[in-house]
């Protein structure tokens, strides 16, 4: 199938050709016709398969005939809600690329950045708005944004949006838009809560599924290293010295872990930067730009900060910490071996993470190759760390020595 078969007009086709796209990806092939028919859709896709264009192209096509309004008279007709700032920026860049030969105007608003410049652009009039939920509601409350003319609402990365606690904001935004709007929901996974959200805000949606969420590319060589938790940094340094080459993303579960690893790698002379939720928007964007330009070749990230970000040409993904949600493993390693390239995914598993390996392997229906030959092997008998019952302070029971308790008695 070609883009022409998808009933896209000349200016859009020209922009797509200049972006170097020869033919639509599967998710585009399946989604674009439904969006053009003004249907509500729920799309589950694999990351990196071109889902942004799957909604951006038909939205531009639908708005194309209405683009003649003078700038000032422009009303926001398409609204794309994104859970993270980076993703919002990236979606905006895509819209700008695809709309090069139209008069449609696009802008992006997100929290953590000065509000005034965003207000200035909005006041000049835009057709398409990409926004994170909080900043959108804020500017709507200030009467800067009018949602009365929205024709298409897109909820991107809906599963992440709900994980990040945006459910009420998303429902509110949907209510603020006109009743007869078209709603498109994109989500890498469709857990129950996404299903519930879809039931409340979509009308007779068409379901589009592109590749099972459990599938991992055959081009990714997946390797598993059992290693004691305190030795993970050493193993990481060992592999960086001897084995892992090229552009690498290292995933850690916590912001603290990301910072700690970044410091160690910098101290050891590696060119690394990091992204996580506690970094300012500017710093996160700077880190991404440096990685994309090749100023650094190692990016350390938490899942939330990295989700959905378009980073191509990755040679390796390192799961420094294993994710407790198996789908996250699939997302992470899906970042390497894109577009037919090959890539390697290295996963470090400490004793307490062993159960995660099981659930991941169940999901991907594959045994990950275990590498035993490395300097920091995990004793197979090593026990899972015993976690304290949540809510019970480790200090409450048995904190005082017998002597001290006796003292206390005497003191009374
Ligand atoms: P996305 O899944 O939207 O983040 O897109 C992943 C990458 O695929 C981006 O770099 C897009 O520019 C690229 N892309 C999207 N559609 C196509 C296409 N039809 N042909 C080639 N590359 C594409």
């Amino acid at each position: 199938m070609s883009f022409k078969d998808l009933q896209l007009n000349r200016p859009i086709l020209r922009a797509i050709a200049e972006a170097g796209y020869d033919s639509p990806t599967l998710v585009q092939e399946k989604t674009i016709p439904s969006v053009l028919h003004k249907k509500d859709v729920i799309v589950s896709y694999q990351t990196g398969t071109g889902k942004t264009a799957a909604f951006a192209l038909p939205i531009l096509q639908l708005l194309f005939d209405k683009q003649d309004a003078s700038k000032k008279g422009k009303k926001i007709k398409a609204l794309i809600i994104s859970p993270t700032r980076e993703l919002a920026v990236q979606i905006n860049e895509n819209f700008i690329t695809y709309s090069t030969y139209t008069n449609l105007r696009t802008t992006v608003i997100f929290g953590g950045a000065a509000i005034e410049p965003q207000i200035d652009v909005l006041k000049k009039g835009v057709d398409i708005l990409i926004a994170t939920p909080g900043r959108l509601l804020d500017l709507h409350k200030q009467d800067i944004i009018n949602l009365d003319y929205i024709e298409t609402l897109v909820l991107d990365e809906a599963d992440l949006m709900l994980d990040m606690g945006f459910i009420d904001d998303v429902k509110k935004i949907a209510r603020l838009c006109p009743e007869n709007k078209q709603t498109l929901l994109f989500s890498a996974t469709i857990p129950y809560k996404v299903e519930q959200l879809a039931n409340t805000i979509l009308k007779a949606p068409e379901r589009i599924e592109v590749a099972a969420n459990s599938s991992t590319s055959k081009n990714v060589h997946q390797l598993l290293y059992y290693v004691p938790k305190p030795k993970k940094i050493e193993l990481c340094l060992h592999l960086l010295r001897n084995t892992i080459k090229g552009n690498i993303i290292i995933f850690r579960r916590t912001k603290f872990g990301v910072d700690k690893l970044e410091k160690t790698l910098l101290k050891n002379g590696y060119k690394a930067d990091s992204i996580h939720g506690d970094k300012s928007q500017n710093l996160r964007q700077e880190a991404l730009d440096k990685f994309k330009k090749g100023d650094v070749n190692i990016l350390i990230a938490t899942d939330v900060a990295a989700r959905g970000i378009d980073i191509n040409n990755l040679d390796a993904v390192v799961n420094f910490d294993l994710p407790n949600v198996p789908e996250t493993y699939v997302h992470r390693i899906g970042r390497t071996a894109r577009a037919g390239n090959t890539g390697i995914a290295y996963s470090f598993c400490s004793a307490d993470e062993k159960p995660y390996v099981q659930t991941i392997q169940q999901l991907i229906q594959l045994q990950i190759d275990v590498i035993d030959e490395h300097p920091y092997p995990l004793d197979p008998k090593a026990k899972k760390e015993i976690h304290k019952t949540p809510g019970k302070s480790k200090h409450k029971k048995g904190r005082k020595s017998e002597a001290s308790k006796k003292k206390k008695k005497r003191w009374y």
Side-chain angles (χ1 to χ4, degrees), residues 317-383:
V317 169
V318 179
N319 295 308
F320 193 101
D321 301 310
L322 276 181
N324 53 356
V325 178
E327 282 86 1
T328 303
Y329 175 85
V330 178
H331 292 153
R332 286 181 181 183
I333 75 161
R335 293 176 165 280
T336 179
R338 283 191 181 178
N341 295 329
T342 51
I344 309 184
Y346 300 84
S347 298
F348 300 172
C349 177
S350 54
D352 59 313
E353 292 172 312
K354 281 182 180 174
Y356 302 156
V357 174
Q358 276 170 18
T359 54
I360 289 167
Q361 294 188 146
Q362 266 164 16
L363 179 75
I364 62 175
Q365 294 283 299
L366 199 90
Q367 289 291 117
I368 307 173
D369 288 343
V370 177
I371 305 294
D372 295 320
E373 291 301 306
H374 67 87
Y376 312 101
L378 178 71
D379 175 358
K381 288 195 272 314
K383 288 266 171 12

Side-chain angles (χ1 to χ4, degrees), residues 3 21 23-25 28 48-52 310 312:
F3 279 110
Y21 304 174
S23 53
T25 64
Q28 291 160 5
T49 51
K51 58 99 201 211
T52 315
D310 179 21
N312 292 316

Side-chain angles (χ1 to χ4, degrees), residues 34-104:
S34 302
V35 180
L36 290 177
H37 282 111
K38 303 272 342 172
K39 294 209 173 104
D40 281 9
V41 294
I42 302 178
V43 185
S44 63
Y45 55 89
Q46 253 194 300
T47 48
T49 51
K51 58 99 201 211
T52 315
F55 61 78
L57 298 176
I59 285 177
L60 289 169
Q61 173 72 34
L62 288 170
L63 297 183
F64 189 77
D65 298 329
K66 303 172 185 172
Q67 63 176 330
D68 290 332
S70 67
K71 261 194 201 170
K72 279 264 176 207
K74 279 184 185 294
K75 308 269 193 266
I76 303 167
K77 293 191 274 308
L79 173 64
I80 293 91
I81 306 294
S82 152
T84 69
R85 301 147 191 188
E86 286 83 358
L87 193 56
V89 167
Q90 200 171 286
I91 296 169
N92 188 47
E93 283 165 1
N94 275 276
F95 267 100
I96 290 170
T97 305
Y98 308 142
S99 64
T100 310
Y101 301 106
T102 73
N103 292 324
L104 294 166

Side-chain angles (χ1 to χ4, degrees), residues 82-200:
S82 152
T84 69
R85 301 147 191 188
E86 286 83 358
L87 193 56
V89 167
Q90 200 171 286
I91 296 169
N92 188 47
E93 283 165 1
N94 275 276
F95 267 100
I96 290 170
T97 305
Y98 308 142
S99 64
T100 310
Y101 301 106
T102 73
N103 292 324
L104 294 166
R105 286 173 55 88
T106 309
T107 197
V108 59
I109 58 169
F110 43 80
I115 206 163
E116 297 304 330
Q118 296 181 358
I119 294 177
D120 288 346
V121 180
L122 287 167
K123 282 190 172 160
K124 285 184 190 142
V126 297
D127 303 277
I128 299 153
L129 177 64
I130 297 110
T132 52
R135 183 55 60 98
L136 178 82
L137 288 172
D138 189 1
L139 287 171
H140 180 268
K141 209 165 158 194
Q142 295 184 39
D143 263 345
I144 307 286
I145 287 174
N146 182 354
L147 299 177
D148 293 347
Y149 298 89
I150 297 295
E151 295 174 13
T152 306
L153 169 67
V154 182
L155 305 175
D156 195 21
E157 304 260 358
D159 49 354
L160 182 60
M161 201 114 69
L162 301 195
D163 282 350
M164 290 171 75
F166 285 132
I167 178 98
D168 292 332
D169 286 354
V170 169
K171 284 186 181 163
K172 191 166 175 191
I173 291 163
R175 274 200 308 273
L176 292 171
C177 296
E179 178 71 34
N180 62 353
K181 67 186 172 301
Q182 172 187 34
T183 308
L184 317 177
L185 185 150
F186 285 75
S187 198
T189 57
I190 313 278
Y192 180 62
K193 53 189 178 176
V194 171
E195 197 73 53
Q196 269 184 321
L197 175 73
N199 285 339
T200 48

